[in-house]
Amino acid sequence: MKLSFRWYGEDDPVKIGYIRQIPNMYSVVTAVYDVPVGEVWSVESIEKLKKTTEDNGLHFDVIESVPVHEDIKLGLPTREKFIENYKENIRRLGNAGVKVICYNFMPIFDWTRTQLDYVLPDGSTALVYFKKQLEKMDPLTGELSLPGWDASYTKKDLNDLFEKYKSVDEEKLFENLEYFLKAIIPVAEEAGVKMAIHPDDPPYSIFGLPRIITGEENLDRFLKLVDSEYNGLTFCTGSFGSSNKNDVVAMVDKYAAMGRIHFMHIRNVKLYEDDSFEESAHYSPCGSLDIVAIMKALHKNGFDGYLRPDHGRMIWGETGRPGYGLYDRALGASYMTGIWETLDKLK
Ligand code: DNO
Ligand code: MN
């Protein structure tokens, strides 16, 4: 496993120089943020990011995300141009030595939470998703903007998009995903870049929008759409783990054995019966997931892809981008390194 860490570039309050100080750190996970979703990334911006990364002793191996334009997810005729742009981004990133691209296929919203600063009993704050709070939220009239997303919308954009999605159900979304994959995976193969889809977070429909990367059955279908190693997964334990239907350890074992997991996001969640959840510290007893069992499943299958701590709590007075502070994610990274070292030595 290659330990990695998300970095939002020069504007990130977490300095890349601090990331390199985390023991066992191998690669950053980053992206170019200077062009709108759907456009081609300039070689200059890519090279600059690569240089900064390498000057700091880290690898520039993983991009999260190259966001997918809504026209592709909607299957509009205008998708052609955006698919061409996407292919070009894959080629350019491949030329820069990138090995894995993470992306998602969630309509309109990326990860969704109902509160970003929920106070846990120990005084730290965490991202949470409470069904009761969600029922009161209306993206069309209220405010809904979460830091960390690759796109942001005005109310007008949102209204227009919701209108367009009225004709897209899960089957249609699957079709549009298949169309996209059939176009890009051959390019990814040629460029030597493994594509890794991130699950829907949470893994079920919200606000009436379709969601398809939700659990085992749909993952099996997804992997068969294009049966290539280059069509793979970002396995996010917290995303899959926020539905009681998913057996996360069994899924990790299965897809790692198939060689289709290229990138792991590891975080723990404390799951309620109604699928509401709190993001907890990584340490297994703090949440509902058995992180050791997850690491064991990876280790057993000889996982040598990338792995990063996903969201962390805000602790020790740190402020900044919720979920993406340095301290708790660094604790998570070290916890996972400790588990992995132990598994190596017990072998
Ligand atoms: C949250 C993050 C996501 C992720 C995108 C990938 O858990 O992992 O925001 O970056 O969904 O496209
Ligand atoms: Mn994730």
Side-chain angles (χ1 to χ4, degrees), residues 220-237:
D220 288 345
R221 180 168 171 192
F222 166 81
L223 292 174
K224 281 188 205 121
L225 293 177
V226 176
D227 198 9
S228 158
E229 194 198 344
Y230 286 80
N231 177 34
L233 309 175
T234 294
F235 195 104
C236 180
T237 60

Side-chain angles (χ1 to χ4, degrees), residues 245-265:
K245 289 191 196 121
N246 289 328
D247 181 343
V248 174
V249 176
M251 288 165 74
V252 170
D253 188 19
K254 171 173 169 178
Y255 299 112
M258 288 166 70
R260 296 296 276 275
I261 301 178
H262 306 315
F263 187 21
M264 285 296 301
H265 280 185

Side-chain angles (χ1 to χ4, degrees), residues 6 64 102 110-111 113 198-199 201 234-239 264-267 308 310-311 324:
R6 192 167 196 180
E64 176 174 349
C102 168
D110 197 318
W111 54 272
R113 300 291 180 271
H198 188 282
D201 181 4
T234 294
F235 195 104
C236 180
T237 60
S239 300
M264 285 296 301
H265 280 185
I266 299 212
R267 78 181 138 84
R308 74 165 178 84
D310 208 358
H311 306 159
Y324 285 98

Side-chain angles (χ1 to χ4, degrees), residues 103-152:
Y103 68 104
N104 71 69
F105 215 75
M106 284 177 257
I108 314 183
F109 304 113
D110 197 318
W111 54 272
T112 303
R113 300 291 180 271
T114 57
Q115 196 184 331
L116 303 177
D117 58 355
Y118 180 79
V119 183
L120 298 174
D122 65 2
S124 59
T125 60
L127 313 186
V128 295
Y129 179 99
F130 293 145
K131 284 239 158 115
K132 288 229 160 59
Q133 285 179 339
L134 191 90
E135 282 156 15
K136 294 196 200 109
M137 288 162 82
D138 181 353
L140 296 180
T141 55
E143 290 304 327
L144 193 84
S145 97
L146 296 173
W149 284 6
D150 290 320
S152 56

